[in-house]
């Protein structure tokens, strides 16, 4: 069947719909849309399918959950809490867990899906960042992704607080403290959310409305926009044989990609069902109801809020008192600075990179992370920054389990949060350059064949052969990073815009950003035939392997 032939499974339904609403041509064109076949492009679908499962399980839970803070005496089936006074929200969460058929399973699937949703978005964004898939014309889709991640964190925070158990109440107390630390508006926002002095009587009901209506609606709209833009702009693809900036090599949406996606959805759901069945998460009946007078040791938030917990624990007790006002820097800085650095950095990076490189061309082929060492190093440094904050959010557990002073772990964290990202940047940068040189060697000298050959003067060598065509094409997909020229001819008088201090800084940054990819050029690699002899650098140049070459050391 040729590419121009429309399969019967598409032609039939398309004709039926076209005869009635005139959308047949639209379906024929879009159902044959080509998607690249690479495992990393399925990472974003993990987040998408987790979101669908969240909507389904969340709808089930709304039938029995009561978002009220009125006090009731528990009279359910969990004996240790019978007669204990608690909020309606906590009592209904216990009712779902113990009395509703399948309630605990759905609760746990919902919680695991929430974790997988955020984790899937993070991994997907890392794939997009490290491959440069955010570049023109996809900057808008990148910004939508950053906004989606921010909303997902807020959605997780509001959902985490709804059961009103002791663990979620402790997190809510921290949230209230962060809100109060905001200058000028903090007190007003706290009264708006809590309906009065902490803990108030309205916070659960208001978080419930935000959690099931406002944020899911925004997420659904943004995810739809994200998918529509991706569909219109076509998918990026990894470099390889036959792949260019103007085509897409892969399989059609129907039936190939649709079947693959359907199987992947079922696989994702199966994993979450297994986790919900066999891996207990958030056993609220063990924590007890929340009371402002109670607190628990060793409490930890879900992983996506762990980095904010770590920043609060590492921050010294600084505050500013001025004209009768107190600005608690020990809360304000850790609450806003890490999240602000990460999210603002993500949002601005495509535009900063374009400004530095002067690159305004469209990009539909992805970069291999090694081929842009500065970008990859920046990404790994950011991950290290996030990871250290996340790790130090459990400094009390680290101290208790490893018998290390809590003071020492805190001091270590305060130094590591600055030194760790810098060290990670340098190590990653050097690794990327080493991998580029390895690619250069593969093209220049070939790959080991496992065939041993004896040279006329008695030396034994291993014959190198040229790499396979698909591997060579993948490696040769590297492109030089654009850099701003010093002048019209590359070394003339700089243009007027580049003579200002900002212009000179931009030129220096541009040269530094692109310098090493120019020095390690794959254009210099060659595939000459030298019959297995040494080249000028002491390597064995690639050679064709014939029957007469298959001599071993033992012969």
């Amino acid at each position: 069947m040729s590419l121009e032939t429309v399969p019967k499974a598409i032609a039939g339904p398309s004709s039926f719909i076209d005869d009635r609403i005139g959308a047949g041509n639209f379906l024929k064109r879009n159902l044959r849309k080509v998607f690249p076949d690479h495992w990393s492009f399925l990472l974003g679908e993990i987040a998408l399918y987790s979101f669908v499962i969240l909507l389904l399980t969340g709808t089930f839970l709304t039938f029995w959950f009561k978002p009220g803070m009125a006090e009731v005496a528990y009279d359910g089936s969990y004996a240790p809490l019978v007669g204990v006074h608690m909020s309606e929200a906590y009592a209904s969460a216990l009712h779902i867990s113990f009395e509703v058929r399948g309630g605990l399973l759905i609760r746990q699937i919902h919680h695991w899906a929430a974790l997988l949703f955020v984790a899937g978005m993070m991994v997907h964004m890392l794939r997009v960042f490290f491959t440069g898939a955010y570049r023109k014309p996809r900057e808008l889709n990148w910004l939508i992704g950053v906004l989606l991640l921010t909303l997902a964190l807020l959605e997780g925070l509001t959902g985490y607080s709804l059961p009103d158990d002791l663990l979620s109440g402790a997190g809510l107390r921290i949230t209230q403290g962060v809100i109060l630390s905001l200058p000028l508006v903090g007190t007003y926002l706290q009264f708006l959310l809590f309906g009065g002095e902490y803990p108030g009587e309205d916070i659960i009901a208001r978080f419930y409305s935000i959690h099931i209506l406002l944020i899911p609606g925004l997420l659904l709209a943004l995810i739809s926009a994200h998918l529509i833009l991706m569909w219109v702009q076509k998918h990026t693809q990894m470099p390889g044989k036959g792949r260019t900036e103007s085509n897409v090599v892969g399989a059609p949406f129907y039936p190939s990609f649709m079947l693959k996606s359907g199987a992947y959805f079922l696989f994702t759901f199966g994993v979450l069902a297994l986790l919900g069945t066999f891996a207990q998460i958030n056993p609220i009946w063990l924590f007890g109801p929340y009371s402002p007078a109670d607190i628990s040791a060793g409490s930890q938030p879900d992983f996506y809020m762990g980095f904010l917990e770590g920043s609060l624990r590492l921050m010294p007790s600084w505050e500013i008192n001025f004209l009768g006002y107190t600005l608690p820097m020990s809360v304000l800085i850790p609450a806003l600075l890490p999240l602000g650095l990460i999210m603002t950095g993500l949002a601005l990076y495509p535009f900063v990179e374009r400004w530095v490189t002067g690159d305004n061309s469209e990009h539909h082929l992805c970069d291999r992370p090694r081929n842009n060492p500065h970008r990859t190093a920046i990404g790994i440094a950011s991950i290290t920054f996030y990871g250290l904050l996340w790790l130090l959010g459990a400094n009390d557990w680290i101290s208790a389990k490893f018998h290390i002073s809590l003071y020492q772990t805190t001091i270590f964290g305060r130094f590591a949060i600055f030194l760790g990202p810098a060290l990670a940047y340098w190590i990653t940068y050097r690794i990327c350059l080493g991998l580029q040189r390895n690619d250069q060697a593969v093209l220049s000298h070939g790959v080991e064949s496992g065939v041993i050959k004896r040279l006329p003067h008695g030396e034994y060598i291993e014959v190198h052969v040229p790499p396979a065509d698909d591997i060579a094409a993948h490696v040769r997909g590297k492109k030089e990073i654009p850099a701003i020229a010093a002048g019209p001819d590359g070394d003339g008088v700089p243009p007027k815009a580049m003579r200002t201090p900002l212009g000179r800084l931009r030129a220096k940054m541009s040269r530094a950003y692109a310098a090493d990819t120019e020095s390690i050029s794959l254009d210099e690699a060659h595939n000459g035939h030298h019959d297995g002899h040494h080249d000028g650098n002491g390597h064995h140049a690639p050679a064709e392997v014939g029957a007469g070459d298959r001599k071993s050391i033992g012969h």
Side-chain angles (χ1 to χ4, degrees):
M1 182 182 293
S2 66
L3 291 176
E4 289 76 19
T5 304
V6 179
K8 185 177 180 180
I10 295 176
S14 297
S15 299
F16 178 87
I17 294 174
D18 191 45
D19 291 341
R20 288 152 181 83
I21 59 175
N25 290 332
F26 173 82
L27 288 177
K28 289 179 184 178
R29 181 175 68 253
N30 285 281
L31 289 177
R32 298 296 288 170
K33 183 179 178 65
V34 175
F35 280 76
D37 188 14
H38 193 272
W39 66 268
S40 66
F41 296 125
L42 294 174
L43 294 173
E45 295 192 30
I46 296 176
L48 176 62
Y49 301 149
S50 299
F51 180 69
V52 173
I53 295 169
L54 279 171
L55 293 178
L56 296 175
T57 55
T59 302
F60 177 90
L61 295 174
T62 58
F63 295 151
W64 289 277
F65 183 72
K66 297 180 181 179
M69 297 185 69
E71 188 176 278
V72 297
Y74 181 70
D75 61 352
S77 60
Y78 186 65
L81 290 178
V82 171
V84 175
H85 289 266
M86 58 187 64
S87 67
E88 287 182 326
Y90 185 59
S92 66
L94 292 175
H95 176 72
I96 292 172
S97 302
F98 295 112
E99 274 91 31
V100 175
R101 188 180 297 274
L104 180 59
L105 176 63
I106 298 299
R107 256 198 69 232
Q108 298 208 144
I109 292 177
H110 188 76
H111 202 133
W112 279 115
L115 299 183
L116 190 60
F117 176 53
V118 179
M121 290 182 66
M122 289 180 173
V123 176
H124 175 61
M125 289 192 73
L126 289 177
R127 196 278 301 175
V128 173
F129 178 84
F130 284 124
T131 60
Y134 54 77
R135 292 172 293 178
K136 185 180 178 182
R138 296 175 178 83
E139 300 96 333
L140 181 58
N141 230 2
W142 173 257
L143 291 177
I144 291 175
V146 174
L147 186 55
L148 280 170
L149 180 58
T150 306
L151 288 173
L153 296 180
L154 293 175
E155 178 76 343
L157 173 65
T158 55
Y160 177 81
S161 305
L162 291 182
D164 202 29
D165 59 282
L166 185 57
L167 182 61
S168 66
L172 195 58
R173 180 61 165 168
I174 295 174
T175 303
Q176 186 256 355
V178 170
I179 293 173
L180 277 180
S181 71
L182 299 175
L184 301 178
V185 299
T187 304
Y188 298 101
L189 287 177
Q190 190 248 297
F191 271 77
L192 174 64
L193 280 176
F194 289 85
E197 293 287 352
Y198 182 84
E201 297 180 353
D202 299 325
I203 184 63
I204 298 298
R206 289 176 181 176
F207 266 23
Y208 183 69
S209 298
I210 294 171
H211 183 73
I212 71 167
L213 291 176
L214 180 59
I215 298 180
L218 293 173
L219 287 173
L220 192 59
L222 289 173
I223 289 173
S224 300
H226 190 76
L227 294 175
I228 290 172
L229 279 174
M230 182 273 295
W231 193 281
V232 170
Q233 294 172 344
K234 79 180 182 181
H235 216 300
T236 56
Q237 59 184 346
M238 298 300 292
K241 189 175 181 180
R243 297 170 184 173
T244 68
E245 295 281 4
S246 58
N247 71 351
V248 178
V249 177
F253 175 73
Y254 179 85
S256 175
F257 188 79
M258 186 179 291
L259 290 174
K260 184 191 298 181
S261 296
Y264 205 54
F265 172 80
L266 294 176
F267 178 78
T268 304
F269 178 75
V271 170
L272 289 173
L274 289 173
L275 286 171
T277 303
F278 297 108
Q280 179 176 270
I281 188 170
N282 199 25
I284 58 172
W285 53 90
L286 299 180
F287 306 145
Y290 176 67
S291 168
D294 298 328
I295 194 65
S296 59
S299 59
Q300 303 295 327
D302 284 334
F303 86 92
Y304 49 84
M305 286 296 176
F307 75 106
L308 292 177
E309 177 84 4
S311 63
L312 282 168
R313 297 188 182 200
L314 291 181
M315 184 67 190
S317 55
W318 294 350
E319 66 179 30
I320 297 175
N321 295 290
F322 183 71
L323 298 178
Y325 292 94
T326 299
L327 198 60
M329 307 303 292
S330 57
V331 178
L332 192 62
I333 289 178
L336 300 182
L337 186 61
L339 189 63
L341 282 175
I342 293 173
M343 293 304 178
T344 304
L346 286 172
L348 294 180
Y349 194 86
F351 307 98
V352 172
E353 184 182 74
R354 189 174 65 181
W355 178 77
V356 169
T357 61
D359 182 15
N360 289 309
S361 58
E362 290 192 3
H363 295 273
H364 303 291
L365 280 177
C366 294
D367 289 336
R368 300 173 75 197
R370 66 184 66 181
N371 291 337
N372 195 314
H374 283 289
R375 177 205 293 152
T376 303
I378 290 171
I380 296 298
S382 301
I383 293 173
T384 304
F385 175 75
Y386 174 91
L388 284 170
L389 288 178
W390 173 82
L391 181 67
L392 271 300
N395 63 347
D396 53 344
W397 277 98
I398 294 173
S399 178
K401 297 298 181 182
F402 293 96
H403 306 289
I404 304 173
S405 166
L406 182 61
Y407 177 78
Q408 290 177 349
T409 60
T410 303
I411 294 299
F412 166 79
R414 290 174 181 174
F415 282 96
I417 200 62
F418 294 102
L419 298 178
L423 183 62
Y425 181 96
W426 182 80
I427 293 174
T428 304
Y429 182 76
R430 301 308 305 177
I431 289 175
C432 287
L433 295 184
L435 290 173
Q436 286 190 47
R437 293 189 179 98
N438 181 68
D439 288 341
Q440 192 180 49
V442 166
L443 294 180
S444 296
H445 314 299
V447 295
E448 297 174 350
S449 66
V451 176
I452 306 301
K453 181 175 182 178
R454 183 177 180 180
L455 298 181
H457 59 277
E459 179 187 3
Y460 290 97
I461 65 169
E462 182 174 10
V463 177
H464 284 58
V465 297
D469 290 343
D470 56 341
I471 296 176
H474 186 58
V475 172
R476 288 189 180 279
K478 173 187 174 183
K479 294 184 178 180
E480 289 190 0
I481 302 172
I484 299 173
D489 57 354
D491 56 0
V493 177
K496 185 175 181 180
M498 305 304 291
R499 297 178 214 161
T500 63
L502 183 61
R504 289 192 292 271
L505 174 64
R506 181 186 179 191
K508 289 180 181 178
M509 293 173 65
S510 185
R511 288 194 296 270
Y513 198 74
D516 291 298
T517 55
E518 296 173 355
S519 62
I520 308 176
S521 175
L522 298 182
D523 294 335
E524 300 172 3
H526 56 276
N527 284 313
H529 176 77
H530 296 286
D531 197 28
H533 290 279
H534 292 276
D535 64 6
N537 297 319
H539 298 284
H540 301 295
E544 300 296 331
V545 182
D549 294 328
R550 301 188 181 278
K551 300 176 183 178
S552 66
I553 294 179
H555 290 150

